[in-house]
Amino acid sequence: GEPIINFDRCIGCKKCVNVCPASALVMEFTDEEKKILEQLAAAGTTHEPEEDPEEARIKKLLAEYRGVWVFVEQTEGEAAKVSWELLGKGKELADALKTELCAVVLGHEVEHLCKQAFGYGAEKVYLLDAPVLRHYRTKSYERCFCALAEKYRPEVILMGATGQGRDLAGVVATRLKTGLTADCTGLGIDDKRNLMQTRPAFGGNIMATIMCDKYRPQMSTVRPHVMAMPEFDPMANGEIVREAVNVAENEIPVKVLEILKDGSGSKVDISGAEFIVSGGRGLMGPENFPMLQELADVLGGVVGASRSAVDAGWMPPDRQVGQTGKTVRPKIYIACGISGAIQHLVGMQDSDVIIAINRDPEAPIFEVATYGIVGDLFKIVPAFTRKLKEMKG
Ligand code: FAD
């Protein structure tokens, strides 16, 4: 029905327009009313719309935080690539917020990482360099990171959704009493400076955009290969802010005695591969995966799998692509006998080129495919391999 307006009390503050959840209200004034409002404004007698104290508190709090921070994860002085990918995305966010992009480097003898961070887009690096930080340990890193965040108050903190990043992000968010969105697949900024954090929800059936609009900093983790790698500028430079380390070795109960590297060599890292040939339930059994391996070998790539193929024991779990597997971003992704469930798509849809081979023309994989081939994979894959071998001579 018609809204009831009490004209004796309405002062034209437009508060009702702002709070209407359906954005269904507009306030328009007649020329005569406009004139009166102008006269009142000129006389300085207009009623200022009074601000809700809670809203005012939040507004003040949010205004105290500025800057986009990326945690540069390192192991024995070598940075995880995801940190550079996050600087690439962080630059976009910092530009949208008209604020600075900073990197946070914690470790021992890690100053060389500052130079790399500048090359990937950071304008400033907060550096904490001390023996106590040589190896990642939750407590020492949490203490140092939180002290830094409390002192400089960043608006946004990004970390890789890796073992280190997931661990650190959780404790930092808890200590700073703020929100954290894990495994984001998209990040953007809205018109109120809020970070729009998109990630799959409800088993991957919907994409949810999550905001942390009443607390700061806003924290997200992002898996490797979800964001594009920015270009490296070897000439780039910036400011290094050195901070004192506020933690002593005897305060940390955990000691790193030895680092054992997985020397088996048999593990394949599909997340870094440029060419991936993946197989799903359509492969019918483990005996058919060598056919995909042959195609992958010609391309210089690796074989991946859907969860169905992994659950069936046809491929090891480290080959799984998707929400509960790895996120990949190869130059070419060839999906063979994979239907294209949303949980699979979220792990590979950002590949540069997607080629789908499926006998069902209605398979959802064709919705994301650059090239779709409807037919029997047992005929198409060998023909593909043969042709490529011929071309290579
Ligand atoms: P199917 O859906 O059975 O598809 C097989 C396809 O092969 C069909 O489209 C068929 O037309 C085609 N085919 C059959 N024979 C041939 C042939 N001769 N030639 C050509 N085409 C043929 N899945 C993942 O992959 N990764 C994940 O990380 C993941 N995480 C999940 C997390 C949760 C919480 C849940 C609930 C599910 C998850 N899944 C994941 C499972 C996902 O929902 C699907 O069940 C799975 O991806 C299906 O695998 P598929 O495409 O190999 O099998």
Side-chain angles (χ1 to χ4, degrees), residues 133-184:
L133 297 176
R134 171 174 289 280
H135 301 294
Y136 175 79
R137 285 175 295 172
T138 311
K139 194 165 175 156
S140 51
Y141 273 55
E142 177 233 358
R143 283 266 292 274
C144 291
F145 199 100
C146 288
L148 210 57
E150 277 162 359
K151 181 168 176 189
Y152 293 103
R153 304 187 168 217
E155 208 164 355
V156 172
I157 298 176
L158 307 179
M159 298 191 188
T162 55
Q164 257 189 47
R166 283 175 208 249
D167 187 61
L168 184 62
V171 286
V172 168
T174 310
R175 259 280 299 275
L176 299 179
K177 296 194 171 57
T178 189
L180 165 67
T181 306
D183 286 352
C184 296

Short mmCIF file of all heavy atoms in Angstrom, two decimals, residues 133-184:
data_model
loop_
_atom_site.label_atom_id
_atom_site.label_comp_id
_atom_site.label_asym_id
_atom_site.label_seq_id
_atom_site.Cartn_x
_atom_site.Cartn_y
_atom_site.Cartn_z
N LEU A 133 62.90 -16.00 13.69
CA LEU A 133 61.89 -16.12 12.63
C LEU A 133 62.37 -16.98 11.46
O LEU A 133 61.71 -17.05 10.43
CB LEU A 133 61.50 -14.73 12.12
CG LEU A 133 60.82 -13.81 13.15
CD1 LEU A 133 60.58 -12.43 12.54
CD2 LEU A 133 59.51 -14.40 13.64
N ARG A 134 63.53 -17.63 11.62
CA ARG A 134 64.08 -18.39 10.48
C ARG A 134 63.05 -19.38 9.92
O ARG A 134 62.79 -19.42 8.73
CB ARG A 134 65.35 -19.14 10.88
CG ARG A 134 65.83 -20.10 9.80
CD ARG A 134 67.16 -20.73 10.13
NE ARG A 134 68.24 -19.78 10.05
CZ ARG A 134 68.85 -19.41 8.91
NH1 ARG A 134 68.46 -19.93 7.77
NH2 ARG A 134 69.81 -18.53 8.92
N HIS A 135 62.47 -20.18 10.81
CA HIS A 135 61.47 -21.15 10.36
C HIS A 135 60.08 -20.67 10.78
O HIS A 135 59.93 -20.06 11.82
CB HIS A 135 61.71 -22.52 11.00
CG HIS A 135 63.06 -23.06 10.69
ND1 HIS A 135 63.44 -23.40 9.42
CD2 HIS A 135 64.14 -23.30 11.48
CE1 HIS A 135 64.69 -23.83 9.44
NE2 HIS A 135 65.14 -23.77 10.67
N TYR A 136 59.10 -21.02 9.98
CA TYR A 136 57.73 -20.67 10.36
C TYR A 136 57.33 -21.44 11.60
O TYR A 136 57.43 -22.67 11.65
CB TYR A 136 56.74 -21.00 9.23
CG TYR A 136 55.32 -20.75 9.68
CD1 TYR A 136 54.83 -19.46 9.69
CD2 TYR A 136 54.51 -21.78 10.16
CE1 TYR A 136 53.55 -19.20 10.17
CE2 TYR A 136 53.24 -21.52 10.63
CZ TYR A 136 52.76 -20.23 10.63
OH TYR A 136 51.51 -19.96 11.11
N ARG A 137 56.91 -20.71 12.61
CA ARG A 137 56.30 -21.32 13.79
C ARG A 137 55.13 -20.42 14.17
O ARG A 137 55.26 -19.19 14.19
CB ARG A 137 57.31 -21.42 14.94
CG ARG A 137 58.30 -22.55 14.70
CD ARG A 137 59.37 -22.60 15.74
NE ARG A 137 60.23 -21.42 15.69
CZ ARG A 137 61.15 -21.13 16.60
NH1 ARG A 137 61.34 -21.93 17.62
NH2 ARG A 137 61.90 -20.05 16.49
N THR A 138 54.01 -21.04 14.45
CA THR A 138 52.77 -20.28 14.63
C THR A 138 52.95 -19.12 15.60
O THR A 138 52.62 -17.98 15.28
CB THR A 138 51.66 -21.21 15.13
OG1 THR A 138 51.64 -22.36 14.30
CG2 THR A 138 50.32 -20.52 15.08
N LYS A 139 53.50 -19.41 16.77
CA LYS A 139 53.52 -18.40 17.82
C LYS A 139 54.40 -17.20 17.48
O LYS A 139 53.98 -16.04 17.66
CB LYS A 139 53.98 -19.05 19.14
CG LYS A 139 53.70 -18.16 20.30
CD LYS A 139 53.79 -18.87 21.61
CE LYS A 139 53.61 -17.80 22.66
NZ LYS A 139 53.15 -18.26 23.89
N SER A 140 55.61 -17.47 17.00
CA SER A 140 56.50 -16.35 16.72
C SER A 140 55.95 -15.48 15.58
O SER A 140 55.97 -14.25 15.64
CB SER A 140 57.90 -16.86 16.38
OG SER A 140 57.83 -17.85 15.38
N TYR A 141 55.43 -16.12 14.55
CA TYR A 141 54.91 -15.36 13.41
C TYR A 141 53.63 -14.60 13.79
O TYR A 141 53.43 -13.46 13.40
CB TYR A 141 54.66 -16.30 12.22
CG TYR A 141 55.89 -16.49 11.36
CD1 TYR A 141 57.08 -16.93 11.93
CD2 TYR A 141 55.88 -16.22 10.00
CE1 TYR A 141 58.23 -17.10 11.16
CE2 TYR A 141 57.01 -16.38 9.22
CZ TYR A 141 58.18 -16.82 9.79
OH TYR A 141 59.31 -16.97 9.03
N GLU A 142 52.81 -15.24 14.58
CA GLU A 142 51.56 -14.60 15.01
C GLU A 142 51.87 -13.34 15.82
O GLU A 142 51.31 -12.28 15.58
CB GLU A 142 50.73 -15.57 15.85
CG GLU A 142 49.46 -14.98 16.40
CD GLU A 142 49.34 -15.16 17.91
OE1 GLU A 142 50.20 -15.77 18.52
OE2 GLU A 142 48.37 -14.65 18.46
N ARG A 143 52.80 -13.48 16.78
CA ARG A 143 53.14 -12.35 17.64
C ARG A 143 53.66 -11.19 16.81
O ARG A 143 53.25 -10.04 16.99
CB ARG A 143 54.22 -12.78 18.66
CG ARG A 143 53.67 -13.59 19.81
CD ARG A 143 53.34 -12.72 21.01
NE ARG A 143 54.55 -12.18 21.63
CZ ARG A 143 55.28 -12.80 22.54
NH1 ARG A 143 54.92 -14.00 22.96
NH2 ARG A 143 56.34 -12.24 23.06
N CYS A 144 54.58 -11.48 15.90
CA CYS A 144 55.19 -10.41 15.09
C CYS A 144 54.17 -9.80 14.14
O CYS A 144 54.07 -8.59 13.99
CB CYS A 144 56.38 -10.96 14.31
SG CYS A 144 57.74 -11.37 15.40
N PHE A 145 53.40 -10.67 13.48
CA PHE A 145 52.43 -10.15 12.50
C PHE A 145 51.36 -9.30 13.17
O PHE A 145 51.01 -8.22 12.68
CB PHE A 145 51.79 -11.31 11.73
CG PHE A 145 51.17 -10.88 10.44
CD1 PHE A 145 51.82 -11.05 9.24
CD2 PHE A 145 49.92 -10.24 10.42
CE1 PHE A 145 51.28 -10.62 8.04
CE2 PHE A 145 49.36 -9.80 9.23
CZ PHE A 145 50.05 -10.00 8.04
N CYS A 146 50.88 -9.76 14.32
CA CYS A 146 49.82 -9.02 15.00
C CYS A 146 50.33 -7.67 15.51
O CYS A 146 49.62 -6.66 15.42
CB CYS A 146 49.23 -9.82 16.14
SG CYS A 146 48.22 -11.18 15.56
N ALA A 147 51.55 -7.66 16.03
CA ALA A 147 52.11 -6.40 16.52
C ALA A 147 52.19 -5.39 15.38
O ALA A 147 51.85 -4.20 15.54
CB ALA A 147 53.49 -6.64 17.12
N LEU A 148 52.59 -5.89 14.24
CA LEU A 148 52.71 -5.03 13.06
C LEU A 148 51.33 -4.50 12.62
O LEU A 148 51.16 -3.31 12.36
CB LEU A 148 53.30 -5.90 11.94
CG LEU A 148 54.16 -5.29 10.88
CD1 LEU A 148 55.34 -4.58 11.50
CD2 LEU A 148 54.68 -6.39 9.94
N ALA A 149 50.36 -5.41 12.60
CA ALA A 149 49.01 -5.03 12.16
C ALA A 149 48.37 -4.06 13.15
O ALA A 149 47.66 -3.14 12.76
CB ALA A 149 48.14 -6.27 11.99
N GLU A 150 48.65 -4.26 14.44
CA GLU A 150 48.07 -3.35 15.44
C GLU A 150 48.71 -1.97 15.34
O GLU A 150 48.06 -0.96 15.56
CB GLU A 150 48.27 -3.94 16.85
CG GLU A 150 47.19 -4.96 17.18
CD GLU A 150 47.54 -5.89 18.33
OE1 GLU A 150 48.64 -5.77 18.89
OE2 GLU A 150 46.69 -6.74 18.65
N LYS A 151 49.96 -1.94 14.97
CA LYS A 151 50.65 -0.65 14.87
C LYS A 151 50.25 0.11 13.60
O LYS A 151 49.97 1.29 13.65
CB LYS A 151 52.16 -0.92 14.87
CG LYS A 151 53.01 0.33 14.79
CD LYS A 151 54.46 0.00 15.11
CE LYS A 151 55.35 1.23 14.92
NZ LYS A 151 56.77 0.87 15.02
N TYR A 152 50.22 -0.60 12.46
CA TYR A 152 50.00 0.11 11.18
C TYR A 152 48.58 0.00 10.64
O TYR A 152 48.24 0.69 9.70
CB TYR A 152 51.01 -0.38 10.15
CG TYR A 152 52.42 0.02 10.49
CD1 TYR A 152 53.31 -0.90 11.03
CD2 TYR A 152 52.86 1.32 10.31
CE1 TYR A 152 54.60 -0.54 11.37
CE2 TYR A 152 54.15 1.69 10.64
CZ TYR A 152 55.02 0.76 11.17
OH TYR A 152 56.29 1.13 11.49
N ARG A 153 47.77 -0.87 11.18
CA ARG A 153 46.36 -0.98 10.84
C ARG A 153 46.03 -1.08 9.34
O ARG A 153 45.49 -0.14 8.75
CB ARG A 153 45.59 0.20 11.45
CG ARG A 153 45.81 0.26 12.92
CD ARG A 153 44.97 1.28 13.58
NE ARG A 153 45.06 1.05 15.02
CZ ARG A 153 44.06 1.20 15.86
NH1 ARG A 153 42.90 1.58 15.43
NH2 ARG A 153 44.21 0.95 17.12
N PRO A 154 46.34 -2.20 8.75
CA PRO A 154 45.98 -2.37 7.34
C PRO A 154 44.48 -2.62 7.18
O PRO A 154 43.83 -3.14 8.09
CB PRO A 154 46.77 -3.61 6.93
CG PRO A 154 46.91 -4.39 8.18
CD PRO A 154 47.02 -3.39 9.30
N GLU A 155 44.00 -2.25 6.01
CA GLU A 155 42.56 -2.41 5.73
C GLU A 155 42.27 -3.84 5.27
O GLU A 155 41.22 -4.38 5.55
CB GLU A 155 42.24 -1.43 4.60
CG GLU A 155 40.86 -0.92 4.57
CD GLU A 155 40.76 0.31 3.67
OE1 GLU A 155 41.79 0.79 3.15
OE2 GLU A 155 39.64 0.78 3.48
N VAL A 156 43.25 -4.39 4.53
CA VAL A 156 43.08 -5.72 3.94
C VAL A 156 44.36 -6.52 4.17
O VAL A 156 45.46 -5.97 4.03
CB VAL A 156 42.83 -5.59 2.41
CG1 VAL A 156 42.86 -6.95 1.73
CG2 VAL A 156 41.51 -4.88 2.12
N ILE A 157 44.23 -7.79 4.55
CA ILE A 157 45.40 -8.68 4.65
C ILE A 157 45.12 -9.92 3.81
O ILE A 157 44.10 -10.58 3.99
CB ILE A 157 45.66 -9.12 6.11
CG1 ILE A 157 45.96 -7.90 6.99
CG2 ILE A 157 46.81 -10.12 6.18
CD1 ILE A 157 46.13 -8.24 8.48
N LEU A 158 46.03 -10.22 2.90
CA LEU A 158 45.89 -11.42 2.06
C LEU A 158 47.02 -12.40 2.37
O LEU A 158 48.18 -12.00 2.51
CB LEU A 158 45.96 -11.04 0.57
CG LEU A 158 45.02 -9.95 0.08
CD1 LEU A 158 45.25 -9.70 -1.41
CD2 LEU A 158 43.57 -10.32 0.32
N MET A 159 46.67 -13.67 2.43
CA MET A 159 47.68 -14.72 2.62
C MET A 159 47.34 -15.88 1.69
O MET A 159 46.18 -16.07 1.32
CB MET A 159 47.66 -15.24 4.06
CG MET A 159 48.00 -14.18 5.09
SD MET A 159 48.29 -14.92 6.71
CE MET A 159 48.40 -13.43 7.71
N GLY A 160 48.36 -16.68 1.36
CA GLY A 160 48.14 -17.86 0.52
C GLY A 160 47.40 -18.92 1.32
O GLY A 160 47.63 -19.07 2.52
N ALA A 161 46.51 -19.65 0.66
CA ALA A 161 45.82 -20.76 1.35
C ALA A 161 46.71 -21.99 1.28
O ALA A 161 46.37 -23.00 0.67
CB ALA A 161 44.46 -21.01 0.73
N THR A 162 47.88 -21.88 1.90
CA THR A 162 48.86 -22.96 1.95
C THR A 162 48.90 -23.43 3.40
O THR A 162 48.21 -22.87 4.24
CB THR A 162 50.23 -22.41 1.59
OG1 THR A 162 50.48 -21.32 2.48
CG2 THR A 162 50.29 -21.90 0.16
N GLY A 163 49.73 -24.38 3.70
CA GLY A 163 49.85 -24.83 5.09
C GLY A 163 50.17 -23.67 6.01
O GLY A 163 49.48 -23.45 7.02
N GLN A 164 51.19 -22.90 5.65
CA GLN A 164 51.59 -21.74 6.47
C GLN A 164 50.51 -20.68 6.54
O GLN A 164 50.15 -20.20 7.61
CB GLN A 164 52.82 -21.08 5.84
CG GLN A 164 54.11 -21.38 6.51
CD GLN A 164 55.24 -20.50 5.94
OE1 GLN A 164 55.12 -19.30 5.78
NE2 GLN A 164 56.34 -21.16 5.65
N GLY A 165 50.02 -20.30 5.38
CA GLY A 165 49.05 -19.20 5.29
C GLY A 165 47.76 -19.49 6.02
O GLY A 165 47.23 -18.65 6.75
N ARG A 166 47.27 -20.71 5.87
CA ARG A 166 46.01 -21.07 6.54
C ARG A 166 46.19 -21.04 8.05
O ARG A 166 45.32 -20.62 8.79
CB ARG A 166 45.60 -22.50 6.16
CG ARG A 166 44.99 -22.61 4.79
CD ARG A 166 44.75 -24.09 4.48
NE ARG A 166 44.81 -24.31 3.05
CZ ARG A 166 43.75 -24.63 2.32
NH1 ARG A 166 42.59 -24.78 2.85
NH2 ARG A 166 43.87 -24.79 1.02
N ASP A 167 47.35 -21.51 8.50
CA ASP A 167 47.64 -21.56 9.94
C ASP A 167 47.75 -20.14 10.49
O ASP A 167 47.10 -19.78 11.48
CB ASP A 167 48.95 -22.33 10.14
CG ASP A 167 49.24 -22.58 11.60
OD1 ASP A 167 48.43 -23.26 12.23
OD2 ASP A 167 50.26 -22.09 12.10
N LEU A 168 48.55 -19.32 9.82
CA LEU A 168 48.79 -17.97 10.32
C LEU A 168 47.53 -17.10 10.24
O LEU A 168 47.19 -16.39 11.19
CB LEU A 168 49.94 -17.32 9.52
CG LEU A 168 50.35 -15.94 10.00
CD1 LEU A 168 50.90 -15.99 11.43
CD2 LEU A 168 51.42 -15.34 9.08
N ALA A 169 46.81 -17.18 9.14
CA ALA A 169 45.63 -16.34 8.96
C ALA A 169 44.61 -16.60 10.08
O ALA A 169 44.03 -15.66 10.64
CB ALA A 169 44.99 -16.60 7.60
N GLY A 170 44.44 -17.85 10.43
CA GLY A 170 43.48 -18.21 11.48
C GLY A 170 43.83 -17.59 12.82
O GLY A 170 42.98 -16.97 13.46
N VAL A 171 45.10 -17.72 13.23
CA VAL A 171 45.46 -17.17 14.55
C VAL A 171 45.48 -15.65 14.53
O VAL A 171 45.09 -15.01 15.50
CB VAL A 171 46.82 -17.70 15.09
CG1 VAL A 171 46.70 -19.13 15.55
CG2 VAL A 171 47.95 -17.54 14.11
N VAL A 172 45.91 -15.07 13.43
CA VAL A 172 45.96 -13.60 13.35
C VAL A 172 44.54 -13.03 13.42
O VAL A 172 44.27 -12.09 14.17
CB VAL A 172 46.71 -13.14 12.08
CG1 VAL A 172 46.51 -11.65 11.84
CG2 VAL A 172 48.20 -13.45 12.18
N ALA A 173 43.62 -13.62 12.66
CA ALA A 173 42.24 -13.13 12.67
C ALA A 173 41.64 -13.23 14.07
O ALA A 173 40.92 -12.34 14.53
CB ALA A 173 41.40 -13.90 11.66
N THR A 174 41.95 -14.32 14.75
CA THR A 174 41.41 -14.52 16.10
C THR A 174 41.98 -13.46 17.05
O THR A 174 41.25 -12.84 17.82
CB THR A 174 41.77 -15.94 16.61
OG1 THR A 174 41.40 -16.86 15.60
CG2 THR A 174 41.03 -16.27 17.89
N ARG A 175 43.28 -13.26 16.97
CA ARG A 175 43.92 -12.28 17.85
C ARG A 175 43.43 -10.86 17.55
O ARG A 175 43.20 -10.06 18.46
CB ARG A 175 45.45 -12.32 17.66
CG ARG A 175 46.18 -13.08 18.73
CD ARG A 175 46.38 -12.25 20.01
NE ARG A 175 47.16 -11.04 19.84
CZ ARG A 175 48.48 -10.98 19.88
NH1 ARG A 175 49.18 -12.07 20.08
NH2 ARG A 175 49.10 -9.83 19.71
N LEU A 176 43.25 -10.54 16.28
CA LEU A 176 42.83 -9.18 15.92
C LEU A 176 41.32 -9.00 16.02
O LEU A 176 40.79 -7.94 15.73
CB LEU A 176 43.30 -8.82 14.51
CG LEU A 176 44.82 -8.83 14.27
CD1 LEU A 176 45.12 -8.48 12.81
CD2 LEU A 176 45.54 -7.86 15.19
N LYS A 177 40.63 -10.07 16.39
CA LYS A 177 39.17 -10.06 16.52
C LYS A 177 38.49 -9.55 15.25
O LYS A 177 37.69 -8.62 15.26
CB LYS A 177 38.75 -9.22 17.72
CG LYS A 177 39.21 -9.79 19.03
CD LYS A 177 38.46 -9.12 20.19
CE LYS A 177 38.72 -9.79 21.50
NZ LYS A 177 40.12 -9.88 21.90
N THR A 178 38.87 -10.16 14.15
CA THR A 178 38.24 -9.77 12.89
C THR A 178 37.84 -11.01 12.11
O THR A 178 38.03 -12.13 12.58
CB THR A 178 39.20 -8.86 12.08
OG1 THR A 178 38.48 -8.32 10.97
CG2 THR A 178 40.42 -9.60 11.58
N GLY A 179 37.29 -10.81 10.93
CA GLY A 179 36.79 -11.93 10.13
C GLY A 179 37.84 -12.42 9.14
O GLY A 179 38.77 -11.70 8.78
N LEU A 180 37.67 -13.66 8.71
CA LEU A 180 38.59 -14.26 7.75
C LEU A 180 37.79 -15.12 6.78
O LEU A 180 36.96 -15.91 7.21
CB LEU A 180 39.61 -15.13 8.50
CG LEU A 180 40.43 -16.12 7.68
CD1 LEU A 180 41.38 -15.39 6.74
CD2 LEU A 180 41.23 -17.05 8.60
N THR A 181 38.01 -14.93 5.50
CA THR A 181 37.35 -15.79 4.51
C THR A 181 38.43 -16.65 3.87
O THR A 181 39.37 -16.12 3.28
CB THR A 181 36.63 -14.94 3.45
OG1 THR A 181 35.75 -14.03 4.12
CG2 THR A 181 35.81 -15.82 2.52
N ALA A 182 38.28 -17.95 4.00
CA ALA A 182 39.30 -18.87 3.50
C ALA A 182 39.01 -19.26 2.05
O ALA A 182 37.86 -19.29 1.62
CB ALA A 182 39.34 -20.11 4.37
N ASP A 183 40.08 -19.53 1.31
CA ASP A 183 39.97 -20.09 -0.04
C ASP A 183 39.13 -19.25 -1.00
O ASP A 183 38.27 -19.77 -1.70
CB ASP A 183 39.36 -21.49 0.02
CG ASP A 183 40.35 -22.51 0.55
OD1 ASP A 183 41.52 -22.15 0.71
OD2 ASP A 183 39.93 -23.65 0.78
N CYS A 184 39.39 -17.95 -1.01
CA CYS A 184 38.62 -17.08 -1.92
C CYS A 184 39.02 -17.37 -3.36
O CYS A 184 40.17 -17.64 -3.66
CB CYS A 184 38.90 -15.62 -1.61
SG CYS A 184 38.33 -15.19 0.02
#
